[in-house]
Amino acid sequence: MFKTLKSLFGASDDTAQAESKATFNAGLPLGMTSEDFEGLRLDGRVKIALAELSAFPDTLFGWSSEPYHHVAAVGHVDLGQGAHLVRFYLDNDTWLQANVENQQVVEYKLFDFYRVTHLSDVEFDALINADDKKAGELGAQSITVEATDTSGRECQYQRVWGDEASLWSPPVLLEEQVMTTESVMTRSVTHHAMLYERQIEGSERMEYVLLNAENDGEGGFMLVQNLGVDVTSVDIDAI
């Protein structure tokens, strides 16, 4: 029966294996496997060891290194010329981003959805298209982020992308295809993003804010402060 079906549909053993491999590598750039990402994969689990962060009270980013987290979704941004962003979305409202160049992961960053502001479509349009750009807004030379606890603490971050001397630079447009464990179909999410950074006091580590105006393609608009830090491959334990 199986051989008959294969002959009817023209599927060889190699084709079947390729399809199986494509399913296993769901959400990843073509030609890359979970092994290229330290074993990270859709519907897998990962533990990230960042215990040393607790030694630096200057950080806003917090992390528990003990538990494993479920990879509930994988996002892929094709930047062109062999460059990609691959995002592994975890069940604790954080996400691990791999920066890929020529099928090699060159760095990882771990982000937290630190603060999310829901916007109307009018507010979203004004944020990304307004002529009168204001200090501290998306694309500004620097931004200030307030702690989400009751400390009242504020930290300032400097823009990484764009002209360093310019008071404002346009956000970077990113088109992301997201695949979840609930559906084999991808959905498209549009980001207008700008990266900011500051050095953590007493450490060589940097702390980042990816400020992002997001259109989820389903009528939802939001401004997200994604707070993050660098992660090395040895910090990642994926199963």
Side-chain angles (χ1 to χ4, degrees), residues 46-57 59-69 90 92 94-97 108-112 200 203-208 227-237:
V46 62
K47 180 167 67 173
I48 302 171
L50 290 176
E52 74 275 12
L53 277 181
S54 61
F56 303 102
T59 58
L60 288 184
F61 185 90
W63 184 257
S64 174
S65 297
E66 292 304 316
Y68 280 90
H69 296 287
L90 310 183
N92 64 338
T94 65
W95 47 286
L96 183 61
Q97 176 176 281
Y108 290 98
K109 284 182 171 60
L110 178 63
F111 286 98
D112 178 15
I200 298 171
S203 170
E204 294 183 358
R205 274 187 178 272
M206 305 297 289
E207 189 174 61
Y208 303 95
L227 187 66
V229 293
D230 291 309
V231 171
T232 67
S233 58
V234 297
D235 296 327
I236 300 170
D237 179 14

Side-chain angles (χ1 to χ4, degrees), residues 127 130-143 167-168 196:
L127 179 64
D131 293 330
D132 55 334
K133 306 301 181 183
K134 299 177 181 177
E137 288 190 346
L138 179 65
Q141 202 171 43
S142 65
I143 60 169
L167 294 178
W168 183 87
Y196 297 82

Side-chain angles (χ1 to χ4, degrees), residues 4-237:
T4 303
L5 288 174
K6 285 200 300 181
S7 64
L8 286 173
F9 290 100
S12 65
D13 288 336
D14 290 342
T15 302
Q17 291 173 4
E19 290 175 350
S20 175
K21 186 175 182 180
T23 301
F24 181 74
N25 299 324
L28 302 184
L30 187 64
M32 299 189 72
T33 71
S34 63
E35 284 75 17
D36 297 313
F37 297 90
E38 318 307 323
L40 288 159
R41 59 183 176 84
L42 182 64
D43 207 22
R45 298 172 69 217
V46 62
K47 180 167 67 173
I48 302 171
L50 290 176
E52 74 275 12
L53 277 181
S54 61
F56 303 102
D58 185 49
T59 58
L60 288 184
F61 185 90
W63 184 257
S64 174
S65 297
E66 292 304 316
Y68 280 90
H69 296 287
H70 179 230
V71 181
V74 175
H76 174 213
V77 180
D78 188 343
L79 300 174
Q81 297 184 331
H84 305 263
L85 299 176
V86 181
R87 295 170 169 178
F88 300 90
Y89 292 96
L90 310 183
D91 59 10
N92 64 338
D93 287 334
T94 65
W95 47 286
L96 183 61
Q97 176 176 281
N99 189 337
V100 176
E101 294 180 4
N102 299 316
Q103 297 196 328
Q104 297 289 326
V105 177
V106 295
E107 66 175 13
Y108 290 98
K109 284 182 171 60
L110 178 63
F111 286 98
D112 178 15
F113 293 110
Y114 195 66
R115 183 176 281 106
V116 178
T117 303
H118 292 276
L119 306 173
S120 68
D121 56 346
V122 174
E123 290 172 324
F124 182 84
D125 183 70
L127 179 64
I128 63 174
N129 293 319
D131 293 330
D132 55 334
K133 306 301 181 183
K134 299 177 181 177
E137 288 190 346
L138 179 65
Q141 202 171 43
S142 65
I143 60 169
T144 300
V145 175
E146 298 178 4
T148 54
D149 58 24
T150 59
S151 66
R153 185 165 166 239
E154 296 182 342
C155 293
Q156 189 173 69
Y157 300 79
Q158 300 299 313
R159 189 180 62 221
V160 176
W161 300 336
D163 182 359
E164 183 178 350
S166 175
L167 294 178
W168 183 87
S169 286
V172 175
L173 181 63
L174 302 174
E175 296 288 350
E176 181 181 19
Q177 300 300 315
V178 180
M179 181 177 291
T180 70
T181 55
E182 299 176 352
S183 174
V184 295
M185 300 295 291
T186 61
R187 65 184 181 90
S188 181
V189 181
T190 301
H191 306 275
H192 301 262
M194 184 56 71
L195 184 65
Y196 297 82
E197 67 180 10
R198 74 179 183 99
Q199 186 163 2
I200 298 171
E201 185 177 347
S203 170
E204 294 183 358
R205 274 187 178 272
M206 305 297 289
E207 189 174 61
Y208 303 95
V209 173
L210 184 66
L211 191 59
N212 184 42
E214 178 179 313
N215 175 357
D216 68 5
E218 300 176 350
F221 304 92
M222 62 193 74
L223 178 65
V224 185
Q225 291 178 348
N226 299 279
L227 187 66
V229 293
D230 291 309
V231 171
T232 67
S233 58
V234 297
D235 296 327
I236 300 170
D237 179 14

